[in-house]
Amino acid sequence: MSKVTASAPGKLMLFGEHAVVYGYPCLVTAVDMRVWVSVVLQKEPQIDLDVSIASREYTVPLRMLSEAEPSFPGDISFVMAVVQRIFRQFNLKTGLKISSEGPTDSYGLGSSSSVTVATATALNQLLDLNLSKSELFSICYGAVLDVQGKASGYDVAAAIYGGTLYYAKHGQTIRRLTVDKLPIMIGYSGNKVQTVQYVNQVYQLRQQQPELVNHIFDLIRRIVDLAHAAIIEQKWHEVGQLVNISQGLLDSLGVNTLSLTTIILAARAEGALGAKLSGAGGGDCMFAVCDEADLSSIGSAIERVGSKRVDLETNVSGVRIE
Ligand code: PMV
């Protein structure tokens, strides 16, 4: 059979980060930062990987897939984790060539979940596995957990289903919001962080202050529910207020940084309805909710404090065969 290519979007966490790791709900939107993965069968008993983002090539002998805990280089860890899960589930023994392409700088907006989902979707088509979206979700979420240890799976859901999602209980609840584009400007604080490091930090804080952190998580849940309704009704002033309250709670969890605060305050001073960090914290991205007319001046305010304005379409489609 010939080559199959799939592409999957990145994601922007809107509300509910960290709490979502413990089954609480979050809101996420898929963003137009796609990763493409192509797969083709080959006779050699090996998997050849061409990772164009890293300008590197790797060869993995098929026998490594039956090792209990094979260790793969970081560039191919997510792709190999999902390949291994699919090969085991379907008892496959075929050689493959896999190539991936995507943006060199993804600003922490989801390249690992996108590449996992695009790989699984391309293999599903190439090998006629007939996996449904929810089966793909389980396999891909499992693969992400194999690599990261702890994760909520929200980014996998965004890559598979696209749009803007209400996501809870590790994927038991996934609902699509009826919404058009979101009036959002994204800023990149300039330093990439390891999500796991911050997930562990919040885990520690919750061990030490269980009552307080659980109250904060309950507030976050309430905010997610209010934001869910406000987004559907396009009440952007209310969404902005909820964004600002969320930022305060994330700060209280200890995941804010000076550079994120600087961009967030600059966006608010320029008239943003609200601004908060997005994702694990410790760096990466923030976003501001604004009146449509103010988007470009808020983008300029983000640049004036030395940060990168990231213009991306939100609410885009999920994984697809190209
Ligand atoms: O830093 P990101 O964009 O990968 O987001 C992490 C969000 C967390 O809630 C902290 C972790 C997770 O898996 O949900």
Side-chain angles (χ1 to χ4, degrees):
M1 195 201 245
S2 51
K3 181 161 100 172
V4 174
T5 302
S7 82
K11 50 75 183 124
L12 179 75
M13 172 65 93
L14 298 172
F15 291 93
E17 49 271 88
H18 287 289
V20 69
V21 175
Y22 302 87
Y24 289 77
C26 78
L27 296 171
V28 54
T29 189
V31 295
D32 199 12
M33 177 164 281
R34 300 189 87 83
V35 169
W36 285 263
V37 175
S38 300
V39 290
V40 61
L41 295 175
Q42 68 159 327
K43 291 219 169 65
E44 298 304 315
Q46 65 195 41
I47 301 184
D48 295 323
L49 301 107
D50 179 352
V51 188
S52 82
I53 305 168
S55 307
R56 293 180 95 144
E57 293 181 8
Y58 299 86
T59 293
V60 176
L62 285 183
R63 69 184 136 72
M64 256 186 100
L65 293 177
S66 41
E67 287 173 17
E69 282 184 27
S71 139
F72 299 111
D75 286 339
I76 57 168
S77 55
F78 288 93
V79 169
M80 286 312 302
V82 82
V83 166
Q84 188 175 27
R85 278 194 168 249
I86 290 177
F87 270 50
R88 284 187 179 175
Q89 185 164 330
F90 293 92
N91 197 20
L92 300 171
K93 298 196 166 48
T94 173
L96 290 174
K97 287 179 196 271
I98 303 179
S99 55
S100 61
E101 271 174 65
T104 39
D105 214 342
S106 65
Y107 311 114
L109 294 172
S111 53
S112 51
S113 47
S114 330
V115 83
T116 308
V117 166
T119 303
T121 304
L123 285 177
N124 187 30
Q125 174 88 3
L126 180 79
L127 304 168
D128 272 329
L129 304 177
N130 283 318
L131 291 164
S132 65
K133 288 207 161 161
S134 77
E135 288 167 328
L136 276 171
F137 173 82
S138 300
I139 292 173
C140 293
Y141 182 26
V144 169
L145 287 174
D146 291 341
V147 180
Q148 269 184 215
K150 287 195 197 89
S152 68
Y154 85 102
D155 45 0
V156 175
I160 291 182
Y161 297 97
T164 301
L165 304 176
Y166 175 94
Y167 176 93
K169 296 185 202 146
H170 306 281
Q172 279 176 50
T173 310
I174 302 177
R175 267 186 245 129
R176 180 106 183 228
L177 275 65
T178 355
V179 61
D180 197 16
K181 275 195 198 70
L182 306 164
I184 274 174
M185 175 56 68
I186 303 169
Y188 178 60
S189 75
N191 46 328
K192 179 85 196 71
V193 301
Q194 283 290 329
T195 295
V196 180
Q197 183 189 326
Y198 282 85
V199 169
N200 286 336
Q201 195 177 302
V202 173
Y203 174 82
Q204 297 289 336
L205 185 67
R206 190 167 182 252
Q207 295 286 96
Q208 287 152 13
Q209 299 288 353
E211 193 196 343
L212 288 180
V213 173
N214 285 334
H215 276 306
I216 293 170
F217 285 177
D218 286 339
L219 280 174
I220 290 177
R221 184 213 310 273
R222 186 73 191 120
I223 291 173
V224 167
D225 288 342
L226 292 170
H228 184 192
I231 289 172
I232 291 171
E233 290 166 28
Q234 301 192 32
K235 292 184 175 164
W236 302 118
H237 279 83
E238 187 181 341
V239 174
Q241 274 174 356
L242 297 168
V243 158
N244 287 343
I245 297 169
S246 302
Q247 173 61 15
L249 294 174
L250 288 165
D251 199 355
S252 73
L253 292 176
V255 299
N256 194 16
T257 64
L258 181 58
S259 62
L260 281 166
T261 298
T262 306
I263 321 173
I264 287 165
L265 294 184
R268 288 185 193 161
E270 193 65 32
L273 304 172
K276 71 181 273 290
L277 68 85
S278 169
D284 278 344
C285 285
M286 54 68 72
F287 71 89
V289 177
C290 350
D291 282 328
E292 201 75 49
D294 295 336
L295 278 169
S296 114
S297 66
I298 284 164
S300 306
I302 289 173
E303 284 173 332
R304 273 201 302 280
V305 291
S307 298
K308 172 102 182 83
R309 157 192 180 152
V310 183
D311 287 291
L312 283 177
E313 211 180 312
T314 53
N315 201 39
V316 302
S317 58
V319 69
R320 59 178 181 238
I321 298 290
E322 297 289 349

